[in-house]
Amino acid sequence: MSFLADLLSTVFERRYRGASEPGRQDRSIEQPCKDLLGASGEVSGMALARLFLVRYAAMSNEEKYSFFTYLYNELGLDPQRVRDTLAAYEAELGKACYSAFMSAVEPARQELARRLNQVPGATGQLVDMRADLLRMSRHDPALAAVDHDFQHLFMSWFNSGFLVLRPTNWATPAEILEKIIAYEAVHAIDTWEELRNRLRPRDRRCFGFFHPAMPDEPLIFV
């Protein structure tokens, strides 16, 4: 089944890759978002999500700002729909009315992020995307609403129940040890020798919390 899914994904990627080929760059970022939100199949959705993430990584700062502005202006809440569904729910406290109201109060940009996250390794890319958003929201406070949605999703995705506690020692890959040096904010570590002194003694223990989707990124360490 895994082989078949990969094969079908490749077919869909070839179909949609034309939008990213030279001569077809006139497509705005809006259409890929609409395509992804409208995808009904898992394989086609994953292919579209993968292509979108590749395109985002190649965007300039101006293009990224336009993307976040689009998320804010076009994929936010519809106040009238929220009011209508709330009134319907108050009139009839039924499952269907409740479901309609909950759908109305969730911005479409949250669903877009969920669909992007179905790509293996996409969680880290979405974290980087939020870093871009935070940087740009300093100059445009309205984008804070978009960041609120990222926070809401990340609180679920990075729930402590999903994190894995792993011991970290001098035998841990250098890529992870470098991040401990960079991230330590209380007792700064300036050199590899200082890190060795923290990790090698028998009476020292270091542990890190890792998310399965980001196995080489220590989210918390003690």
Side-chain angles (χ1 to χ4, degrees), residues 111-207:
E111 179 61 22
L112 179 69
R114 290 194 190 92
R115 296 196 176 204
L116 290 173
N117 196 47
Q118 66 186 321
V119 176
T123 304
Q125 292 173 273
L126 290 171
V127 170
D128 292 338
M129 185 182 292
R130 187 194 174 211
D132 291 333
L133 173 60
L134 288 172
R135 176 168 49 84
M136 295 178 182
S137 63
R138 297 192 192 105
H139 307 287
D140 187 350
L143 296 181
V146 180
D147 180 56
H148 178 80
D149 291 315
F150 273 87
Q151 290 184 57
H152 175 75
L153 293 173
F154 287 170
M155 286 178 65
S156 297
W157 297 348
F158 290 93
N159 182 287
S160 59
F162 294 118
L163 302 184
V164 179
L165 183 66
R166 285 163 37 189
T168 301
N169 52 49
W170 195 241
T172 297
E175 180 183 5
I176 295 177
L177 295 180
E178 285 179 339
K179 291 173 181 177
I180 293 179
I181 293 175
Y183 295 166
E184 174 58 71
V186 179
H187 302 289
I189 303 173
D190 297 318
T191 66
W192 281 95
E193 187 62 30
E194 290 183 18
L195 180 63
R196 186 201 303 265
N197 293 335
R198 300 274 187 98
L199 299 179
R200 292 201 76 174
R202 290 173 179 250
D203 62 342
R204 303 292 178 87
R205 297 290 185 271
C206 181
F207 298 89

XYZ file of all heavy atoms in Angstrom, residues 111-207:
800
model
N -7.196 24.899 8.618
C -7.312 23.685 7.808
C -6.203 23.634 6.768
O -5.676 22.554 6.468
C -8.683 23.625 7.137
C -8.903 22.402 6.252
C -8.800 21.082 7.021
O -8.970 21.085 8.261
O -8.541 20.055 6.362
N -5.838 24.779 6.222
C -4.731 24.819 5.259
C -3.453 24.310 5.918
O -2.723 23.503 5.329
C -4.535 26.246 4.741
C -3.386 26.423 3.738
C -3.731 25.739 2.415
C -3.112 27.909 3.504
N -3.169 24.768 7.119
C -1.964 24.328 7.826
C -2.014 22.830 8.105
O -1.004 22.125 7.992
C -1.797 25.115 9.129
N -3.179 22.326 8.475
C -3.321 20.888 8.724
C -3.015 20.089 7.460
O -2.360 19.040 7.503
C -4.723 20.543 9.214
C -5.057 21.013 10.616
C -6.316 20.325 11.121
N -6.786 20.923 12.355
C -7.674 21.908 12.428
N -8.222 22.376 11.309
N -8.051 22.414 13.590
N -3.497 20.581 6.338
C -3.272 19.854 5.090
C -1.809 19.919 4.669
O -1.283 18.959 4.108
C -4.193 20.402 3.992
C -5.663 20.174 4.306
C -6.567 20.342 3.118
N -7.948 20.013 3.465
C -8.874 19.626 2.605
N -8.568 19.496 1.308
N -10.103 19.342 3.003
N -1.164 21.025 4.954
C 0.268 21.106 4.676
C 1.034 20.137 5.568
O 2.032 19.536 5.145
C 0.771 22.537 4.908
C 0.312 23.592 3.901
C 0.759 24.981 4.359
C 0.890 23.298 2.511
N 0.570 19.956 6.774
C 1.287 19.132 7.744
C 1.198 17.641 7.452
O 1.867 16.834 8.100
C 0.750 19.408 9.154
C 1.675 18.895 10.236
O 2.882 19.115 10.181
N 1.124 18.210 11.224
N 0.382 17.245 6.467
C 0.284 15.828 6.149
C 1.517 15.328 5.408
O 1.745 14.114 5.306
C -0.968 15.567 5.312
C -0.959 16.186 3.925
C -2.284 16.015 3.211
O -2.914 14.961 3.311
N -2.726 17.026 2.516
N 2.355 16.236 4.920
C 3.584 15.850 4.228
C 4.635 15.449 5.266
O 4.850 16.176 6.244
C 4.114 17.015 3.373
C 5.446 16.643 2.717
C 3.088 17.398 2.318
N 5.315 14.320 5.104
C 6.369 13.939 6.045
C 7.426 15.040 6.169
O 7.920 15.554 5.162
C 6.956 12.670 5.417
C 5.825 12.097 4.625
C 5.087 13.286 4.075
N 7.743 15.422 7.388
C 8.742 16.463 7.612
C 8.199 17.872 7.552
O 8.943 18.836 7.752
N 6.891 18.020 7.296
C 6.319 19.355 7.127
C 6.210 20.115 8.440
O 6.169 21.350 8.435
C 4.945 19.266 6.466
N 6.167 19.417 9.563
C 6.001 20.108 10.844
C 7.125 21.107 11.068
O 6.885 22.256 11.456
C 5.954 19.097 12.005
O 4.904 18.150 11.770
C 5.695 19.806 13.324
N 8.347 20.689 10.816
C 9.479 21.600 10.962
C 9.390 22.770 10.009
O 9.755 23.899 10.361
N 8.902 22.533 8.802
C 8.756 23.618 7.828
C 7.688 24.613 8.271
O 7.829 25.817 8.045
C 8.408 23.038 6.455
C 9.542 22.238 5.832
C 9.125 21.538 4.554
O 8.604 20.423 4.569
N 9.338 22.179 3.438
N 6.645 24.114 8.904
C 5.611 25.011 9.414
C 6.122 25.822 10.600
O 5.722 26.974 10.788
C 4.363 24.224 9.800
C 3.571 23.641 8.619
C 2.484 22.701 9.115
C 2.959 24.760 7.785
N 6.989 25.235 11.405
C 7.620 25.986 12.490
C 8.458 27.119 11.905
O 8.433 28.256 12.386
C 8.478 25.061 13.369
C 9.328 25.872 14.352
C 7.593 24.088 14.138
N 9.204 26.826 10.840
C 9.997 27.863 10.172
C 9.089 28.920 9.549
O 9.415 30.110 9.541
C 10.876 27.238 9.085
C 11.972 26.352 9.664
O 12.322 26.537 10.854
O 12.480 25.476 8.933
N 7.939 28.482 9.034
C 6.984 29.420 8.452
C 6.478 30.381 9.524
O 6.354 31.589 9.284
C 5.813 28.644 7.832
C 4.810 29.515 7.093
S 3.406 28.555 6.418
C 4.228 27.584 5.145
N 6.226 29.847 10.706
C 5.770 30.723 11.784
C 6.866 31.709 12.188
O 6.586 32.844 12.568
C 5.339 29.896 13.003
C 4.691 30.794 14.057
C 4.539 30.149 15.395
N 4.034 31.138 16.346
C 4.320 31.140 17.632
N 5.123 30.219 18.138
N 3.834 32.073 18.431
N 8.130 31.276 12.111
C 9.234 32.199 12.409
C 9.207 33.379 11.442
O 9.419 34.537 11.840
C 10.571 31.470 12.332
N 8.934 33.109 10.167
C 8.793 34.191 9.185
C 7.617 35.086 9.561
O 7.704 36.316 9.478
C 8.562 33.616 7.784
C 9.787 32.911 7.221
O 10.917 33.267 7.613
O 9.613 32.004 6.388
N 6.521 34.461 9.964
C 5.322 35.219 10.320
C 5.585 36.127 11.518
O 5.182 37.304 11.521
C 4.177 34.249 10.634
C 2.886 34.846 11.188
C 2.287 35.839 10.202
C 1.889 33.734 11.506
N 6.245 35.613 12.541
C 6.539 36.427 13.723
C 7.417 37.617 13.361
O 7.216 38.726 13.868
C 7.232 35.566 14.787
C 6.351 34.539 15.499
C 7.198 33.635 16.387
C 5.284 35.234 16.326
N 8.378 37.383 12.487
C 9.264 38.471 12.068
C 8.483 39.552 11.337
O 8.696 40.749 11.573
C 10.368 37.885 11.178
C 11.329 38.898 10.587
C 12.531 38.179 9.980
N 12.142 37.085 9.115
C 11.814 37.222 7.840
N 11.795 38.435 7.289
N 11.511 36.174 7.100
N 7.557 39.156 10.480
C 6.807 40.130 9.688
C 5.685 40.793 10.484
O 5.294 41.915 10.196
C 6.244 39.448 8.438
C 7.337 38.973 7.499
S 6.713 38.123 6.032
C 8.272 37.688 5.236
N 5.175 40.088 11.496
C 4.087 40.664 12.287
C 4.574 41.816 13.160
O 3.762 42.603 13.656
C 3.432 39.590 13.155
O 4.342 39.066 14.098
N 5.886 41.939 13.354
C 6.412 43.086 14.103
C 6.117 44.388 13.369
O 5.969 45.438 13.978
C 7.919 42.946 14.306
C 8.345 41.748 15.142
C 9.806 41.844 15.537
N 10.295 40.587 16.100
C 11.074 39.733 15.461
N 11.483 40.014 14.237
N 11.474 38.617 16.035
N 6.027 44.301 12.047
C 5.766 45.489 11.234
C 4.307 45.582 10.796
O 3.887 46.615 10.266
C 6.682 45.483 10.000
C 8.142 45.318 10.328
N 8.889 46.327 10.896
C 8.970 44.260 10.192
C 10.131 45.905 11.081
N 10.200 44.656 10.677
N 3.558 44.515 11.016
C 2.140 44.508 10.653
C 1.380 43.757 11.742
O 1.169 42.536 11.651
C 1.930 43.833 9.296
C 0.498 43.963 8.807
O -0.371 44.396 9.592
O 0.234 43.619 7.635
N 0.951 44.458 12.794
C 0.291 43.814 13.939
C -0.944 43.001 13.568
O -1.327 42.088 14.306
C -0.068 45.001 14.834
C 0.910 46.070 14.469
C 1.132 45.903 13.003
N -1.573 43.312 12.444
C -2.772 42.565 12.045
C -2.461 41.086 11.846
O -3.333 40.228 12.028
C -3.363 43.150 10.769
N -1.217 40.772 11.486
C -0.846 39.387 11.245
C -0.807 38.561 12.524
O -0.672 37.339 12.471
C 0.523 39.313 10.546
C 0.587 39.919 9.137
C 1.992 39.760 8.566
C -0.443 39.272 8.216
N -0.925 39.218 13.674
C -0.954 38.485 14.945
C -2.126 37.514 14.990
O -2.057 36.477 15.656
C -1.021 39.461 16.115
N -3.206 37.845 14.290
C -4.362 36.942 14.246
C -3.999 35.639 13.554
O -4.456 34.556 13.950
C -5.524 37.623 13.525
N -3.170 35.727 12.520
C -2.712 34.523 11.817
C -1.821 33.697 12.747
O -1.918 32.469 12.809
C -1.961 34.891 10.529
C -1.475 33.634 9.802
C -2.853 35.720 9.604
N -0.957 34.394 13.485
C -0.078 33.683 14.413
C -0.882 32.983 15.504
O -0.491 31.915 15.982
C 0.931 34.639 15.044
C 1.862 33.919 16.004
O 2.520 32.955 15.570
O 1.909 34.296 17.189
N -1.991 33.564 15.906
C -2.836 32.920 16.918
C -3.277 31.551 16.437
O -3.342 30.593 17.226
C -4.058 33.791 17.218
C -4.993 33.184 18.218
N -4.762 33.235 19.582
C -6.144 32.484 18.063
C -5.728 32.605 20.215
N -6.592 32.147 19.315
N -3.568 31.421 15.153
C -3.987 30.134 14.615
C -2.825 29.143 14.615
O -3.013 27.953 14.890
C -4.545 30.304 13.201
C -5.862 31.053 13.200
O -6.719 30.741 14.040
O -6.031 31.968 12.379
N -1.616 29.628 14.291
C -0.450 28.751 14.369
C -0.265 28.265 15.806
O 0.001 27.086 16.048
C 0.804 29.491 13.897
C 1.030 29.417 12.419
C 0.446 30.332 11.556
C 1.836 28.433 11.865
C 0.660 30.275 10.192
C 2.056 28.356 10.500
C 1.465 29.279 9.657
N -0.384 29.181 16.763
C -0.233 28.804 18.167
C -1.263 27.745 18.561
O -0.937 26.776 19.256
C -0.401 30.031 19.063
C 0.719 31.041 18.996
C 0.497 32.165 19.986
O 0.361 31.936 21.183
N 0.452 33.394 19.490
N -2.492 27.950 18.125
C -3.570 27.016 18.466
C -3.241 25.604 17.959
O -3.412 24.610 18.688
C -4.884 27.506 17.848
C -6.026 26.560 18.023
N -6.694 26.394 19.222
C -6.622 25.702 17.138
C -7.649 25.482 19.075
N -7.627 25.053 17.823
N -2.758 25.511 16.730
C -2.431 24.213 16.158
C -1.207 23.600 16.838
O -1.194 22.405 17.156
C -2.179 24.361 14.656
C -3.399 24.737 13.810
C -2.986 25.032 12.377
C -4.451 23.633 13.832
N -0.194 24.420 17.075
C 1.032 23.900 17.675
C 0.794 23.404 19.101
O 1.461 22.475 19.559
C 2.130 24.967 17.666
C 2.719 25.228 16.306
C 3.565 26.297 16.094
C 2.427 24.404 15.239
C 4.112 26.536 14.844
C 2.953 24.628 13.985
C 3.803 25.697 13.783
N -0.140 24.029 19.813
C -0.448 23.565 21.171
C -0.971 22.130 21.141
O -0.742 21.358 22.077
C -1.474 24.494 21.829
C -0.899 25.828 22.263
S -2.153 26.933 22.977
C -2.618 26.011 24.444
N -1.662 21.769 20.078
C -2.157 20.399 19.934
C -1.056 19.473 19.422
O -0.842 18.380 19.958
C -3.350 20.361 18.971
O -4.431 21.114 19.464
N -0.342 19.918 18.398
C 0.670 19.069 17.788
C 1.851 18.793 18.713
O 2.474 17.737 18.630
C 1.177 19.710 16.497
C 0.126 19.865 15.448
C -1.125 19.309 15.432
C 0.212 20.638 14.245
N -1.806 19.692 14.295
C -1.014 20.503 13.555
C 1.209 21.428 13.682
C -1.265 21.122 12.339
C 0.968 22.051 12.478
C -0.251 21.898 11.801
N 2.176 19.778 19.567
C 3.321 19.623 20.460
C 2.882 19.366 21.898
O 3.613 19.666 22.837
C 4.213 20.855 20.381
C 4.941 20.977 19.064
C 4.397 21.719 18.030
C 6.144 20.333 18.858
C 5.047 21.824 16.808
C 6.798 20.427 17.639
C 6.252 21.177 16.609
N 1.702 18.803 22.064
C 1.241 18.399 23.387
C 2.286 17.479 24.016
O 2.881 16.636 23.339
C -0.101 17.683 23.242
C -0.681 17.262 24.564
O -0.199 16.328 25.187
N -1.725 17.945 24.982
N 2.501 17.627 25.316
C 3.542 16.846 25.984
C 3.346 15.343 25.820
O 4.316 14.572 25.889
C 3.605 17.208 27.474
O 2.361 16.951 28.102
N 2.101 14.927 25.595
C 1.846 13.514 25.398
C 2.475 12.956 24.138
O 2.673 11.736 24.014
N 2.807 13.828 23.172
C 3.421 13.385 21.929
C 4.945 13.415 21.987
O 5.614 12.888 21.098
C 2.966 14.264 20.754
C 1.500 14.146 20.443
C 0.664 15.245 20.545
C 0.949 12.940 20.046
C -0.689 15.149 20.259
C -0.401 12.829 19.764
C -1.224 13.943 19.868
N 5.503 14.061 23.001
C 6.950 14.224 23.071
C 7.620 12.971 23.633
O 7.054 12.255 24.443
C 7.300 15.447 23.925
C 6.705 16.777 23.465
C 7.223 17.911 24.338
C 7.009 17.048 21.998
N 8.828 12.744 23.188
C 9.611 11.583 23.607
C 10.837 12.078 24.363
O 11.561 12.955 23.880
C 10.051 10.744 22.392
C 10.895 9.557 22.836
C 8.832 10.259 21.608
N 11.060 11.525 25.560
C 12.216 11.901 26.374
C 13.391 11.000 26.014
O 13.303 9.778 26.127
C 11.884 11.781 27.857
C 12.981 12.223 28.831
C 13.224 13.722 28.706
C 12.593 11.872 30.263
N 14.498 11.618 25.566
C 15.677 10.849 25.172
C 16.902 11.357 25.913
O 17.076 12.571 26.074
C 15.914 10.992 23.665
C 14.960 10.191 22.817
C 14.913 10.632 21.368
N 16.176 11.046 20.809
C 16.278 11.629 19.600
N 15.191 11.858 18.882
N 17.442 11.979 19.127
N 17.774 10.450 26.386
C 19.014 10.891 27.026
C 19.953 11.505 25.999
O 20.001 11.074 24.841
C 19.590 9.602 27.614
C 19.022 8.509 26.757
C 17.650 8.987 26.376
N 20.664 12.530 26.403
C 21.635 13.190 25.535
C 22.990 13.117 26.226
O 23.118 13.490 27.391
C 21.245 14.658 25.303
O 19.940 14.700 24.715
C 22.230 15.339 24.365
N 24.001 12.628 25.498
C 25.336 12.507 26.068
C 26.382 12.802 25.013
O 26.050 13.237 23.901
C 25.530 11.104 26.673
C 25.174 10.000 25.687
O 25.618 10.009 24.546
N 24.338 9.063 26.129
N 27.639 12.547 25.368
C 28.723 12.911 24.454
C 28.697 12.087 23.167
O 29.299 12.462 22.173
C 30.068 12.754 25.158
C 31.194 13.415 24.455
C 32.320 12.823 23.952
C 31.321 14.804 24.134
N 33.135 13.751 23.352
C 32.548 14.980 23.453
C 30.518 15.921 24.370
C 32.989 16.219 22.997
C 30.955 17.158 23.912
C 32.164 17.294 23.236
N 27.958 10.965 23.169
C 27.844 10.132 21.981
C 26.684 10.553 21.076
O 26.512 10.016 19.985
C 27.672 8.666 22.385
N 25.901 11.525 21.525
C 24.782 12.032 20.721
C 25.324 12.722 19.463
O 26.375 13.360 19.510
C 23.950 13.026 21.549
O 23.383 12.344 22.659
C 22.837 13.643 20.720
N 24.644 12.599 18.319
C 25.112 13.244 17.087
C 25.430 14.727 17.280
O 24.723 15.442 17.996
C 23.945 13.046 16.112
C 23.300 11.781 16.588
C 23.420 11.809 18.085
N 26.502 15.164 16.627
C 26.977 16.542 16.781
C 25.915 17.565 16.397
O 25.858 18.655 16.973
C 28.239 16.751 15.940
N 25.055 17.232 15.437
C 24.018 18.162 14.995
C 23.099 18.552 16.155
O 22.690 19.713 16.271
C 23.200 17.536 13.873
C 22.086 18.427 13.347
C 21.248 17.762 12.275
O 21.469 16.563 12.004
O 20.371 18.441 11.716
N 22.808 17.574 17.027
C 21.956 17.855 18.181
C 22.742 18.575 19.269
O 22.247 19.523 19.887
C 21.347 16.545 18.718
C 20.403 15.933 17.667
C 20.587 16.797 20.030
C 19.808 14.603 18.071
N 23.984 18.165 19.491
C 24.810 18.813 20.511
C 25.031 20.288 20.181
O 25.049 21.139 21.078
C 26.153 18.090 20.634
C 26.095 16.643 21.143
C 27.503 16.063 21.220
C 25.402 16.571 22.494
N 25.181 20.604 18.901
C 25.351 22.004 18.493
C 24.151 22.839 18.900
O 24.288 24.000 19.290
C 25.557 22.083 16.973
C 26.922 21.645 16.504
C 27.063 21.712 14.999
O 26.006 21.705 14.310
O 28.192 21.785 14.506
N 22.972 22.231 18.817
C 21.758 22.975 19.161
C 21.660 23.207 20.664
O 21.130 24.228 21.101
C 20.531 22.226 18.633
C 20.463 22.257 17.102
C 19.362 21.398 16.543
C 19.375 21.466 15.012
N 18.375 20.585 14.403
N 22.177 22.274 21.448
C 22.196 22.487 22.897
C 23.089 23.679 23.230
O 22.746 24.518 24.066
C 22.677 21.223 23.620
C 21.639 20.109 23.452
C 22.934 21.502 25.097
C 22.015 18.801 24.109
N 24.222 23.766 22.552
C 25.120 24.912 22.753
C 24.406 26.207 22.382
O 24.461 27.211 23.096
C 26.405 24.752 21.913
C 27.235 23.571 22.426
C 27.243 26.033 21.948
C 28.461 23.267 21.598
N 23.704 26.188 21.244
C 23.055 27.407 20.746
C 21.851 27.804 21.592
O 21.585 28.993 21.788
C 22.624 27.201 19.293
N 21.118 26.810 22.124
C 19.864 27.105 22.802
C 20.013 27.398 24.294
O 19.124 27.987 24.893
C 18.888 25.928 22.651
C 18.436 25.640 21.242
C 17.796 24.442 20.927
C 18.651 26.556 20.212
C 17.374 24.166 19.636
C 18.245 26.283 18.923
C 17.600 25.085 18.630
O 17.189 24.821 17.360
N 21.112 26.972 24.907
C 21.281 27.179 26.350
C 21.275 28.669 26.674
O 22.114 29.432 26.198
C 22.587 26.546 26.830
C 22.901 26.842 28.291
C 21.801 26.386 29.239
O 21.626 25.188 29.440
O 21.106 27.284 29.763
N 20.296 29.089 27.469
C 20.129 30.520 27.764
C 20.440 30.871 29.206
O 20.670 32.035 29.524
C 18.700 30.949 27.428
N 20.449 29.897 30.100
C 20.671 30.183 31.518
C 22.150 30.169 31.847
O 22.699 31.137 32.376
C 19.915 29.164 32.398
C 20.181 29.455 33.872
C 18.422 29.216 32.101
N 22.806 29.054 31.535
C 24.246 28.934 31.759
C 24.895 28.743 30.388
O 24.941 27.630 29.862
C 24.568 27.765 32.683
C 23.889 27.874 34.021
N 24.257 28.809 34.964
C 22.865 27.174 34.566
C 23.497 28.671 36.039
N 22.626 27.694 35.816
N 25.367 29.821 29.807
C 25.867 29.800 28.432
C 26.991 28.788 28.248
O 27.837 28.582 29.123
C 26.356 31.189 28.041
N 26.984 28.140 27.101
C 28.036 27.202 26.710
C 28.733 27.807 25.499
O 28.123 27.970 24.441
C 27.447 25.819 26.360
C 26.648 25.261 27.529
C 28.551 24.852 25.957
C 25.908 23.974 27.208
N 30.002 28.138 25.644
C 30.707 28.855 24.572
C 31.569 27.960 23.702
O 31.874 28.304 22.565
C 31.583 29.966 25.174
C 30.754 31.021 25.899
O 29.698 31.387 25.364
O 31.171 31.458 26.985
N 31.995 26.806 24.226
C 32.899 25.945 23.469
C 32.479 24.483 23.606
O 31.704 24.110 24.493
C 34.347 26.079 23.978
O 34.412 25.559 25.323
C 34.797 27.537 23.969
N 33.025 23.653 22.716
C 32.762 22.223 22.781
C 33.344 21.632 24.067
O 32.797 20.687 24.622
C 33.357 21.528 21.560
C 32.501 21.676 20.348
C 32.619 22.606 19.363
C 31.374 20.869 19.989
N 31.638 22.443 18.414
C 30.866 21.373 18.764
C 30.750 19.769 20.566
C 29.766 20.822 18.126
C 29.652 19.206 19.925
C 29.164 19.728 18.717
N 34.462 22.195 24.525
C 35.068 21.704 25.753
C 34.141 21.943 26.946
O 34.007 21.080 27.832
C 36.416 22.391 25.984
C 37.202 21.823 27.157
C 37.563 20.357 26.953
O 37.732 19.932 25.787
O 37.646 19.637 27.969
N 33.479 23.085 26.971
C 32.526 23.357 28.046
C 31.354 22.379 27.984
O 30.866 21.918 29.022
C 32.019 24.794 27.949
C 33.061 25.846 28.300
C 32.481 27.247 28.249
O 31.241 27.385 28.290
O 33.263 28.200 28.151
N 30.916 22.083 26.783
C 29.823 21.119 26.644
C 30.282 19.735 27.106
O 29.529 19.017 27.779
C 29.347 21.058 25.190
C 28.208 20.069 24.921
C 26.956 20.475 25.683
C 27.904 19.970 23.426
N 31.506 19.370 26.753
C 32.035 18.075 27.193
C 32.023 17.974 28.723
O 31.671 16.952 29.294
C 33.454 17.895 26.671
C 34.044 16.501 26.953
C 35.568 16.538 26.883
N 36.022 17.028 25.610
C 36.358 16.240 24.570
N 36.284 14.929 24.703
N 36.789 16.764 23.443
N 32.398 19.063 29.380
C 32.407 19.072 30.842
C 31.011 18.941 31.433
O 30.843 18.492 32.565
C 33.068 20.355 31.358
C 34.539 20.415 31.040
O 35.194 19.374 30.860
N 35.097 21.617 30.947
N 29.996 19.348 30.670
C 28.616 19.230 31.137
C 28.090 17.792 30.974
O 27.241 17.351 31.743
C 27.692 20.155 30.342
C 28.012 21.629 30.419
C 27.378 22.312 31.618
N 27.576 23.745 31.551
C 26.673 24.610 31.104
N 25.500 24.174 30.693
N 26.941 25.903 31.069
N 28.570 17.103 29.943
C 27.956 15.833 29.571
C 28.749 14.588 29.960
O 28.162 13.534 30.224
C 27.713 15.794 28.049
C 26.769 16.857 27.474
C 26.665 16.696 25.965
C 25.393 16.760 28.101
N 30.071 14.666 30.002
C 30.870 13.463 30.174
C 30.982 12.959 31.615
O 31.060 11.743 31.837
C 32.268 13.675 29.598
C 32.278 13.820 28.085
C 33.626 13.528 27.491
N 33.914 12.089 27.460
C 34.988 11.575 26.873
N 35.883 12.376 26.301
N 35.204 10.284 26.869
N 31.034 13.830 32.636
C 31.172 13.313 34.005
C 30.071 12.319 34.350
O 28.932 12.453 33.910
C 31.068 14.588 34.863
C 31.534 15.674 33.956
C 31.016 15.301 32.597
N 30.415 11.316 35.148
C 29.466 10.257 35.498
C 28.267 10.774 36.274
O 27.195 10.168 36.280
C 30.168 9.167 36.313
C 31.154 8.350 35.504
C 31.930 7.401 36.394
N 32.847 6.605 35.591
C 32.700 5.316 35.359
N 31.664 4.680 35.860
N 33.580 4.654 34.631
N 28.469 11.882 36.988
C 27.361 12.390 37.809
C 26.512 13.420 37.076
O 25.698 14.104 37.678
C 27.904 13.003 39.106
C 28.806 14.194 38.844
O 29.282 14.340 37.691
O 29.037 14.980 39.778
N 26.693 13.547 35.774
C 25.914 14.497 34.984
C 24.924 13.750 34.101
O 25.258 12.729 33.507
C 26.831 15.364 34.102
C 27.888 16.138 34.884
C 27.263 17.212 35.746
N 28.252 17.909 36.529
C 28.940 18.967 36.112
N 28.751 19.415 34.890
N 29.806 19.549 36.905
N 23.748 14.289 33.979
C 22.719 13.698 33.114
C 22.044 14.816 32.321
O 21.732 15.866 32.872
C 21.659 12.946 33.921
C 22.196 11.752 34.702
C 22.594 10.611 33.777
N 22.987 9.437 34.554
C 24.229 9.216 34.975
N 25.185 10.105 34.711
N 24.509 8.123 35.656
N 21.810 14.572 31.055
C 21.102 15.535 30.209
C 20.035 14.771 29.424
O 20.298 13.696 28.885
C 22.068 16.232 29.247
S 21.280 17.464 28.183
N 18.841 15.341 29.391
C 17.741 14.718 28.663
C 17.075 15.767 27.770
O 17.039 16.950 28.113
C 16.697 14.138 29.620
C 17.233 13.056 30.506
C 17.809 13.361 31.731
C 17.158 11.732 30.111
C 18.307 12.359 32.553
C 17.656 10.723 30.931
C 18.230 11.042 32.151
